[in-house]
Structure formats: structure tokens, C-alpha cells
Amino acid sequence: MKRNERLIDFTNHLINRPNQMLNLNQLSKHYEVAKSSISEDLVFIKRVFERQGIGKVETFPGSLGGVKFSPDVTDELAKQKALDIIKLMEEDNRILPGGYIYLSDILGTPKNLKSIGQIIAHEYLGKDVDVVMTIATKGIPIAQAVAEILDVPFVIVRRDAKVTEGATLNVNYTSGSSSRVENMTLSKRSLSIGQRVLIVDDFMKGAGTINGMKSLVHEFDCFLAGVAVFLEGPFRGERLVEDYKSILRVDSIDVANRSIDVKLGNIFDKNLDLFEEKK
Amino acid sequence: MKRNERLIDFTNHLINRPNQMLNLNQLSKHYEVAKSSISEDLVFIKRVFERQGIGKVETFPGSLGGVKFSPDVTDELAKQKALDIIKLMEEDNRILPGGYIYLSDILGTPKNLKSIGQIIAHEYLGKDVDVVMTIATKGIPIAQAVAEILDVPFVIVRRDAKVTEGATLNVNYTSGSSSRVENMTLSKRSLSIGQRVLIVDDFMKGAGTINGMKSLVHEFDCFLAGVAVFLEGPFRGERLVEDYKSILRVDSIDVANRSIDVKLGNIFDKNLDLFEEKK
């Protein structure tokens, strides 16, 4: 394979193995060229990936040396992707009876999910996330999008235990807005002791559900790596969880005029980085 | 940008826009080179993508001409990916009380989901799928993986209507193994008349759930583009749906010895292509 062709194949190879350490000797064997040629290729790839905001390419020296591609967007691109979603959110006809917001179309479109995954992964890249956790149903596509970029598994908490989950660990939680006690459950074998868990969800108001997942993380003897939600809704009073990141924020819903005011969430607010301060 | 670097960036550009028509004039402007240079780049990319089994690169002539990248695996690679998942399936400790199979780890790992998506997309590529449909919960990651490759949206059927879905269309269905009548529901605005719907799910026995989704497709005045499941379980008697594709098949579960016999499903069985025959 000539260099031109190898660069094309190598680019694809890296993009499809995000956050995985690839051994340079194996790559050299795979492409049937000297390790030095692979290293030269990587100089090109690294330059383009970093300049074009595709992600970071790190090379590690030594006989066990390797290369790792971490897909990442720039701050600006992350913000632009969020603004693009705001445009979709402001479309007419999205306000449902009771002031709920219809989101299923946005969260059922691969392009949007990829953007959401990139924005959240951008925040937690390099922060040692072992596993992404969410609760069924609408958080699942978000968890999957984030997990794909970080190259970690994701686990799905449910409100009711299923026979296909085996032994489960259950916790009770109260929602932030009422004091009704509810139950959530996760398969016992989903997490291992000491794992760092990133909680994601589609929507948060009083943060009761998030708080329930936090207590699950604790009961599994795991650590919380962070909390990120797609949309933070209007809420009066104190939320049960303070350390969270949101991509978008809705402060008010005007049901009569069928309009909502969507703003960028606190993930873009670098000065109010509560989670970082408390660490 | 020199050719070497442009090829790297262009490769990434295509990979991240699966099944989208990209205009050659716009690409020429974007890279600030003549359209002929873009066409030359595409000769290289097309050759590598097709030889390495990355996918198909089609160019369309004319002033509105463009290029479309359709990620696709070869028959052999699709089969190899399924065999890799069989190895995971045969691990000990996967049989749950009642003879259920624990799959949440497999279906919560991005790499496996990508393989499952590639295998199913390989089957339905070019067959005009407008939207992927699944039922909550475990089918969702599979639907997302398939939809991402085909670049179409996915919709999630639920067993209970939620206030965040707006008006819903509901159907009753019976499971294949019992005659209990159940309900499934889908947001009215999820589908448009005449769309071609690919139904996917994680597991199928009597196909009652799949049959329910088929009647939803019908009630929405849509067309069935196909049915694909990850795992087909043991079932005695006649299934409610005959035209389906399965990636894997389990004929028997030996609860006493905690072992299962996992085989390749009928998606790899080119001679018994029931769905094709009946079309």
C-alpha cells in the first residue's frame, strides 16, 4: 500500500478505535512497513486531526509504544453544536399539554445524538470515566452516544427489575418535586467495585432521579465521575443534586403561546464550574 | 492543505457523514482546490474503502454531482463479527434462573453494538429504509446502532404512554407464547404516512412483540422494510412472524449445566432468504 492509501486506511483505523491504545509494532506489521513510516504517517494525521478539531492523537514511546486517538471537539464547536440543537428546540409545535416538551425526534436522530455525545465527552475526556450510567428510557441513546466516544460500556438503570437482569441491587428515591418514594434497580453484575461512573440523562428538574442514581453508584461501592444532562428544566427551590452539567437549559415554558426559551446550559459556563471546585 | 493532509481530513469527513450526499462543488470550495483534485482524491479513497471493506464510495456526475459514502462490511467480516459475539455469549455464568440469558453487558458495549449495527445495516443497505423502529428497553441501543449507519432516525415504541410523547397511537397484541393481550404505544408524530420502517429488537421467541410492531407500522400507513433481531430464542410451534432476520440463534438452553448452544442466525443463511422470496 502506498503512503497515500495507507494514510486513508490508517485514518479510518484510528477513527474506529477511539480511546484505544494501538501498538506501533502491530501497526507496522499490519501495514508491512517500518515503524518509522508509521511514525511519519502519525505526524501527518496528528497535525490534521488537531488542526481540524477532530481530536487528539497521542503517541507513547518505547518498545510497547503506541498511539491513542481521543475524538474531541473544540470549545467553539461544542457550543455551535448546542446552538444547532437549540434551533430545533425552538420549532413550533413542541409544547405538549401540561408544559412538557416533545424531544423524541431530536433524541431519535443519530446526528443530534452524536453532537450530544461529543459535547458531554468533551467535558469528561481524560477524567477517568469507566462506565456511563443512565435510566430507561430516554437517557439510553445519550448514554450510548457518550460511551461510544469514550469507549466505555454503559449500564441502564430501570424502575422495575426484569427477569433478564439476574440479581439486582435496588434503591428507593424521592423525586425532587414531590415526596413520593420510588424504586430503581440495576443488575448486580453491571458494575464492579471502585469504578468511576458518569451519570447521564435526557432531562432534569428536581434531580430526584439523578440523586437516586447517585445513591446506586454509592451502594455499588463506585465513585461518581460526574453528572451530565441534555436538558435542565425550570425548577423552583433547591435541587437534590448541585454538581451537574447541562447542555441546554429551559427557564420558562409559555404554554399559552406555545413557546419556550432555550439557553445554553452550564456545561458552557466555564466560570461556574461547580463540579470542578468541589473535587 | 497538501494532498496528504487533505486525504486524511477528507477520509474523516466522509466517515462522519454516512449515506449523505455531499456536493462536489462545496467540497472543492471547502478544500480550496479544483473539483478535479477532489475527484482524484476520491479515486484513492474509493479504492482503499472498497478494498479494505470500509464501505462503498459512489460518485454522481453533473453540476449537482456529489459523493456518497455507505459504510458497509463484507459478508465475511459480518460473519466474523457475529462469531466474535458468539464467543462472548458462550461465557460461563450467563444463564439466569428460568433459562433467561444475561445480555446486558454485551448490549451495553459500544464495540458490540457497532458490530450488530454493521451486520444489520449490511443486510438492509440500499433497501430504502426511512426509519428504524424498536420497543423499549433493550432494543434501543440496537436501533440506534443501525440508524447511525443508515443515517435515518429511530423511533421507540413503549408499553405505556408517557406525557412526554404527546398524542399516541396504540395497538393491542398477544405474545406468541401466551394469549395475554398487551398494549403498545407510539407517539403519533413519530412516523409519516408511507415511510419504510425497519423493525429491530434484541430478542425474539414467539414474535408477538414484533407482530405488535408490525401492526403499528400498518396503523401508521407505513410499509415494512424488514425485521431483524439480535437473538432468536428457542420456540416450539409457529411464530407469529415468519419474515425476519436473526444475527444469532439459540436452539437450546441447558439450565442444569449452565450452557447454551449459540449458532449463527438466518441473516447469514443466503439460501433461506424468506423475506426476499416473498417480496
Side-chain angles (χ1 to χ4, degrees), chain A residues 14 32 42 101 112 118-119 174 207 215 224-225 228 236-237 257-258:
Chain A
L14 284 171
E32 297 172 340
L42 282 171
I101 309 169
N112 300 330
Q118 287 173 318
I119 296 166
T174 55
S215 61
L224 186 66
R236 285 192 189 82
N257 293 311
R258 302 174 81 90

PDB file of all heavy atoms in Angstrom, chain A residues 14 32 42 101 112 118-119 174 207 215 224-225 228 236-237 257-258:
ATOM      1  N   LEU A  14      -7.949   4.539  12.958  1.00  0.00           N
ATOM      2  CA  LEU A  14      -7.924   5.297  14.222  1.00  0.00           C
ATOM      3  C   LEU A  14      -9.323   5.769  14.624  1.00  0.00           C
ATOM      4  O   LEU A  14      -9.720   5.653  15.782  1.00  0.00           O
ATOM      5  CB  LEU A  14      -7.005   6.513  14.088  1.00  0.00           C
ATOM      6  CG  LEU A  14      -5.496   6.250  14.131  1.00  0.00           C
ATOM      7  CD1 LEU A  14      -4.740   7.520  13.774  1.00  0.00           C
ATOM      8  CD2 LEU A  14      -5.074   5.763  15.516  1.00  0.00           C
ATOM      9  N   GLU A  32       2.799  -3.647   6.871  1.00  0.00           N
ATOM     10  CA  GLU A  32       4.016  -4.155   6.221  1.00  0.00           C
ATOM     11  C   GLU A  32       4.983  -3.038   5.846  1.00  0.00           C
ATOM     12  O   GLU A  32       5.530  -3.004   4.739  1.00  0.00           O
ATOM     13  CB  GLU A  32       3.657  -5.009   4.987  1.00  0.00           C
ATOM     14  CG  GLU A  32       2.859  -6.250   5.371  1.00  0.00           C
ATOM     15  CD  GLU A  32       2.326  -7.020   4.157  1.00  0.00           C
ATOM     16  OE1 GLU A  32       2.245  -6.421   3.074  1.00  0.00           O
ATOM     17  OE2 GLU A  32       2.008  -8.210   4.317  1.00  0.00           O
ATOM     18  N   LEU A  42       1.870   9.220  11.346  1.00  0.00           N
ATOM     19  CA  LEU A  42       1.194   9.784  12.512  1.00  0.00           C
ATOM     20  C   LEU A  42       1.461  11.272  12.674  1.00  0.00           C
ATOM     21  O   LEU A  42       0.635  11.995  13.232  1.00  0.00           O
ATOM     22  CB  LEU A  42       1.590   9.010  13.782  1.00  0.00           C
ATOM     23  CG  LEU A  42       0.872   7.675  13.928  1.00  0.00           C
ATOM     24  CD1 LEU A  42       1.459   6.859  15.075  1.00  0.00           C
ATOM     25  CD2 LEU A  42      -0.626   7.887  14.163  1.00  0.00           C
ATOM     26  N   ILE A 101     -42.168  19.080  27.017  1.00  0.00           N
ATOM     27  CA  ILE A 101     -41.513  19.386  25.735  1.00  0.00           C
ATOM     28  C   ILE A 101     -41.291  18.090  24.971  1.00  0.00           C
ATOM     29  O   ILE A 101     -40.718  17.132  25.512  1.00  0.00           O
ATOM     30  CB  ILE A 101     -40.160  20.089  25.962  1.00  0.00           C
ATOM     31  CG1 ILE A 101     -40.324  21.289  26.900  1.00  0.00           C
ATOM     32  CG2 ILE A 101     -39.554  20.529  24.631  1.00  0.00           C
ATOM     33  CD1 ILE A 101     -39.000  21.862  27.384  1.00  0.00           C
ATOM     34  N   ASN A 112     -27.941  14.338  15.939  1.00  0.00           N
ATOM     35  CA  ASN A 112     -28.064  15.084  17.201  1.00  0.00           C
ATOM     36  C   ASN A 112     -27.435  14.327  18.359  1.00  0.00           C
ATOM     37  O   ASN A 112     -26.801  14.911  19.230  1.00  0.00           O
ATOM     38  CB  ASN A 112     -29.529  15.365  17.523  1.00  0.00           C
ATOM     39  CG  ASN A 112     -30.214  16.180  16.451  1.00  0.00           C
ATOM     40  OD1 ASN A 112     -29.563  16.976  15.789  1.00  0.00           O
ATOM     41  ND2 ASN A 112     -31.509  15.978  16.272  1.00  0.00           N
ATOM     42  N   GLN A 118     -20.670  14.179  21.790  1.00  0.00           N
ATOM     43  CA  GLN A 118     -19.407  14.915  21.670  1.00  0.00           C
ATOM     44  C   GLN A 118     -19.296  16.018  22.717  1.00  0.00           C
ATOM     45  O   GLN A 118     -18.231  16.241  23.287  1.00  0.00           O
ATOM     46  CB  GLN A 118     -19.293  15.519  20.265  1.00  0.00           C
ATOM     47  CG  GLN A 118     -18.992  14.476  19.193  1.00  0.00           C
ATOM     48  CD  GLN A 118     -19.054  15.047  17.785  1.00  0.00           C
ATOM     49  OE1 GLN A 118     -19.947  15.834  17.468  1.00  0.00           O
ATOM     50  NE2 GLN A 118     -18.123  14.649  16.931  1.00  0.00           N
ATOM     51  N   ILE A 119     -20.409  16.695  22.971  1.00  0.00           N
ATOM     52  CA  ILE A 119     -20.381  17.799  23.948  1.00  0.00           C
ATOM     53  C   ILE A 119     -20.086  17.252  25.345  1.00  0.00           C
ATOM     54  O   ILE A 119     -19.264  17.794  26.081  1.00  0.00           O
ATOM     55  CB  ILE A 119     -21.725  18.576  23.938  1.00  0.00           C
ATOM     56  CG1 ILE A 119     -21.940  19.255  22.579  1.00  0.00           C
ATOM     57  CG2 ILE A 119     -21.769  19.601  25.060  1.00  0.00           C
ATOM     58  CD1 ILE A 119     -23.363  19.766  22.350  1.00  0.00           C
ATOM     59  N   THR A 174     -36.690   9.689  46.257  1.00  0.00           N
ATOM     60  CA  THR A 174     -37.846  10.575  46.134  1.00  0.00           C
ATOM     61  C   THR A 174     -37.572  11.534  44.998  1.00  0.00           C
ATOM     62  O   THR A 174     -36.431  11.916  44.756  1.00  0.00           O
ATOM     63  CB  THR A 174     -38.064  11.406  47.417  1.00  0.00           C
ATOM     64  OG1 THR A 174     -36.853  12.100  47.707  1.00  0.00           O
ATOM     65  CG2 THR A 174     -38.452  10.523  48.578  1.00  0.00           C
ATOM     66  N   ALA A 207     -34.053  16.817  40.088  1.00  0.00           N
ATOM     67  CA  ALA A 207     -32.869  15.950  40.188  1.00  0.00           C
ATOM     68  C   ALA A 207     -33.079  14.744  41.104  1.00  0.00           C
ATOM     69  O   ALA A 207     -32.108  14.128  41.545  1.00  0.00           O
ATOM     70  CB  ALA A 207     -31.626  16.737  40.606  1.00  0.00           C
ATOM     71  N   SER A 215     -27.151   7.434  44.529  1.00  0.00           N
ATOM     72  CA  SER A 215     -27.113   6.510  45.662  1.00  0.00           C
ATOM     73  C   SER A 215     -26.846   5.079  45.185  1.00  0.00           C
ATOM     74  O   SER A 215     -26.204   4.297  45.879  1.00  0.00           O
ATOM     75  CB  SER A 215     -28.380   6.617  46.524  1.00  0.00           C
ATOM     76  OG  SER A 215     -29.512   6.299  45.761  1.00  0.00           O
ATOM     77  N   LEU A 224     -18.455   8.587  41.773  1.00  0.00           N
ATOM     78  CA  LEU A 224     -19.143   9.431  40.802  1.00  0.00           C
ATOM     79  C   LEU A 224     -18.116  10.238  40.013  1.00  0.00           C
ATOM     80  O   LEU A 224     -17.340  10.998  40.584  1.00  0.00           O
ATOM     81  CB  LEU A 224     -20.104  10.371  41.539  1.00  0.00           C
ATOM     82  CG  LEU A 224     -21.016  11.220  40.647  1.00  0.00           C
ATOM     83  CD1 LEU A 224     -22.006  10.340  39.898  1.00  0.00           C
ATOM     84  CD2 LEU A 224     -21.744  12.265  41.483  1.00  0.00           C
ATOM     85  N   ALA A 225     -18.117  10.052  38.694  1.00  0.00           N
ATOM     86  CA  ALA A 225     -17.184  10.820  37.862  1.00  0.00           C
ATOM     87  C   ALA A 225     -17.822  12.115  37.384  1.00  0.00           C
ATOM     88  O   ALA A 225     -17.122  13.043  36.982  1.00  0.00           O
ATOM     89  CB  ALA A 225     -16.745   9.984  36.662  1.00  0.00           C
ATOM     90  N   ALA A 228     -24.220  14.587  33.876  1.00  0.00           N
ATOM     91  CA  ALA A 228     -24.482  15.464  32.733  1.00  0.00           C
ATOM     92  C   ALA A 228     -25.865  15.175  32.170  1.00  0.00           C
ATOM     93  O   ALA A 228     -26.236  14.024  31.962  1.00  0.00           O
ATOM     94  CB  ALA A 228     -23.427  15.260  31.650  1.00  0.00           C
ATOM     95  N   ARG A 236     -38.237  25.462  40.776  1.00  0.00           N
ATOM     96  CA  ARG A 236     -38.157  26.408  41.889  1.00  0.00           C
ATOM     97  C   ARG A 236     -37.747  25.639  43.142  1.00  0.00           C
ATOM     98  O   ARG A 236     -38.263  24.575  43.409  1.00  0.00           O
ATOM     99  CB  ARG A 236     -39.511  27.089  42.134  1.00  0.00           C
ATOM    100  CG  ARG A 236     -39.820  28.138  41.089  1.00  0.00           C
ATOM    101  CD  ARG A 236     -40.992  29.008  41.483  1.00  0.00           C
ATOM    102  NE  ARG A 236     -41.376  29.853  40.350  1.00  0.00           N
ATOM    103  CZ  ARG A 236     -42.159  29.443  39.352  1.00  0.00           C
ATOM    104  NH1 ARG A 236     -42.659  28.216  39.368  1.00  0.00           N
ATOM    105  NH2 ARG A 236     -42.439  30.250  38.352  1.00  0.00           N
ATOM    106  N   GLY A 237     -36.845  26.190  43.885  1.00  0.00           N
ATOM    107  CA  GLY A 237     -36.399  25.524  45.099  1.00  0.00           C
ATOM    108  C   GLY A 237     -35.023  24.937  44.911  1.00  0.00           C
ATOM    109  O   GLY A 237     -34.351  25.193  43.914  1.00  0.00           O
ATOM    110  N   ASN A 257     -48.696  30.551  24.597  1.00  0.00           N
ATOM    111  CA  ASN A 257     -48.119  30.951  23.304  1.00  0.00           C
ATOM    112  C   ASN A 257     -47.296  29.839  22.652  1.00  0.00           C
ATOM    113  O   ASN A 257     -46.647  30.068  21.621  1.00  0.00           O
ATOM    114  CB  ASN A 257     -47.250  32.197  23.476  1.00  0.00           C
ATOM    115  CG  ASN A 257     -48.079  33.407  23.843  1.00  0.00           C
ATOM    116  OD1 ASN A 257     -49.079  33.681  23.203  1.00  0.00           O
ATOM    117  ND2 ASN A 257     -47.682  34.099  24.904  1.00  0.00           N
ATOM    118  N   ARG A 258     -47.301  28.672  23.297  1.00  0.00           N
ATOM    119  CA  ARG A 258     -46.553  27.530  22.770  1.00  0.00           C
ATOM    120  C   ARG A 258     -45.101  27.873  22.463  1.00  0.00           C
ATOM    121  O   ARG A 258     -44.566  27.494  21.415  1.00  0.00           O
ATOM    122  CB  ARG A 258     -47.215  26.987  21.488  1.00  0.00           C
ATOM    123  CG  ARG A 258     -48.666  26.559  21.680  1.00  0.00           C
ATOM    124  CD  ARG A 258     -49.286  26.167  20.363  1.00  0.00           C
ATOM    125  NE  ARG A 258     -48.934  24.802  19.982  1.00  0.00           N
ATOM    126  CZ  ARG A 258     -49.630  23.736  20.315  1.00  0.00           C
ATOM    127  NH1 ARG A 258     -50.725  23.845  21.043  1.00  0.00           N
ATOM    128  NH2 ARG A 258     -49.256  22.539  19.940  1.00  0.00           N
TER     129      ARG A 258
END
